[in-house]
Amino acid sequence: MERQNDRVSAAVSDALRRQIQSYLFADRTVVRAHVHSFGCQLNVSDGERIRGMLTGLGFTLTDSYEDADLILFNTCAVRESAEDRVYGILGNIKQYKTKNPHLILVLCGCMASEEHTAEFVRTHYPFVDIVFGTASLSRFPQLLLEHFQGKKFACDIGEYDAMYEGIVPSREHPFKAAVPVMFGCNNFCTYCIVPYVRGRERSRKPEQILEEVRQLVQDGYKEIMLLGQNVNSYGKDLEEPVSFASLLRQIDEIPGEFVVRFLSSHPKDATPELLDTILSGEKIGRHLHLPVQCGSDAVLAQMNRRYTVTQYLEIVEYLRQRDPDFSLTTDLIVGFPNESEADFQGTLDLVRRVQYDNLYTFIYSKRRGTKAAEIVDHTPDAEKRQRMERLLALQREIATEHYKRFVGRTLRVLVEGESKRKGYLMGKDKAFIIAEFPGDPSLIGQFVDVRVTDARNWAVEGVLAAEEELS
Ligand code: SAM
Ligand code: SF4
Ligand code: F3S
């Protein structure tokens, strides 16, 4: 459980805070909030800002539903399964409302930003008190006040505001921090709901990002993850445009031992300037998450991805010519409407050629309002599931072989936590390689040298180099 936030968000005025607190603490001294974020790291990062607003208002955070006075679901809409899960949980949560008449239920995030959601929730889940979209994050305290003042269903899925900078996050992790560099997406890939629920691209000013990173490093954070739906178009919308590569170089110059990672890079905007910056950076992770989605030019065109397989492979070649070990991961969608066996073979060929360190694979999910949802799909679901299994089997083979190259080498690893194996720790090196090794939990949050002794299909195994020297 976490105490109240002493760095109070500038997004909440003193007058508003006092008004909310007059209701909050009218008959209690402690008011607990449970925040559950689903979906991608950007959503989790929004959730940290929501937690910051709540603690700034006087709430105490709790990990459990049972003792919460406010439960907030920060939702994801990227696939149908993500939405089904939230509706399932909402159904179960009704019982807590019966037990605790004070309980406030809040639904926000990407799913809440879809046009039809608010009305659906109001009619099917009338016990939900507040709904707000990704555009209305900083207006949440206002909605809370409206709820206390007696409004039955306080809802705001309106215009995007510019108040983000004033909101101080309450971070979930003690030494890994997410820093959004931009919001929204302009790409409109035909399968994807994100541009509809997150609006157009809006970059944060470089000074504000640099200040946040400097403070995090000073506070002892060891991994900084820069976030955006397509970080490669960062800065194009600013009054004084600046490239993402230039932002990365400035972050790389901040003193201290830490690693900078970023997600996601659209291949159509991956410039040689960016690739050279990653290759020459001191603190920049030697890894690129470069979502390809599919290995067929015909399907890529239908997805509106705006690159071909050949163009994608040119980026891979550029990196691997300069560093044969350069680590690559990707996102792949299996079963885009009417994907043929030949299209799918294209994906398998691409995966074989690139030799990814890891794949994030998804079966296509139809999203209402997107272009691809209009296509009549003739590929049976069973066929899609079978293709997914074939893809995963191929990746298992590749990864084990691929990781063998590390055996005998020493990796500098940030220890992230205890592994599921008793007595073992796990961490990641600069290239995002997962390492498992025996060690004491006191090393969590530190950088250590690990000598690799074996390879598996998702990680390498090793021993602490320091202990080896002693023995
Ligand atoms: N902006 C990032 C990019 O373009 O790489 C991706 C963001 S999206 C939240 C994460 C991944 O979800 C995508 O790369 C894609 O593979 C997958 N995805 C998006 N829409 C999907 C859909 N309708 N069905 C299945 N997977 C989907
Ligand atoms: Fe979705 Fe494409 Fe934007 Fe990524 S780039 S968020 S896949 S529309
Ligand atoms: Fe992320 Fe899901 Fe929204 S993946 S941007 S939380 S739709």
Side-chain angles (χ1 to χ4, degrees), residues 4 38 61 64 137 167 206 227 237 289 310 340 393-394 419 429 442 464 466:
Q4 295 173 10
F38 299 84
L61 298 174
S64 76
L137 200 78
I167 308 174
L227 298 177
D237 59 317
H289 181 64
T310 306
S340 66
L394 171 64
S419 127
D429 92 324
S442 62
L464 282 166

Side-chain angles (χ1 to χ4, degrees), residues 17-32 54 56-60 69-70 102 104 144 148:
R17 186 177 316 112
R18 272 197 301 273
Q19 269 181 295
I20 293 173
Q21 291 187 342
S22 70
Y23 290 98
L24 266 188
F25 300 116
D27 51 5
R28 290 165 283 180
T29 49
V30 179
V31 191
R32 295 179 178 85
L54 286 166
L57 287 170
F59 283 87
T60 299
D69 303 288
L70 181 148
H102 289 302
I104 305 166
L144 206 51
F148 285 130

Side-chain angles (χ1 to χ4, degrees), residues 38-43 75-78 110 193-194 197-198 229:
F38 299 84
C40 65
Q41 300 193 47
L42 261 166
N43 218 40
T75 59
C76 169
V78 78
C110 292
I193 193 80
V194 172
V197 293
R198 290 251 163 202
Q229 290 303 345

Side-chain angles (χ1 to χ4, degrees), residues 18 42-43 52 113 127 137 168 171 194 198 210 225 235 248 253 260 265 268 304 343 401 439 441 462:
R18 272 197 301 273
L42 261 166
N43 218 40
S113 305
F127 49 90
L137 200 78
V168 180
R171 298 190 181 273
V194 172
R198 290 251 163 202
L210 288 166
M225 177 70 88
L248 268 182
E253 281 166 14
V260 191
S265 286
K268 79 177 167 56
N304 189 31
D343 293 324
E401 208 42 48

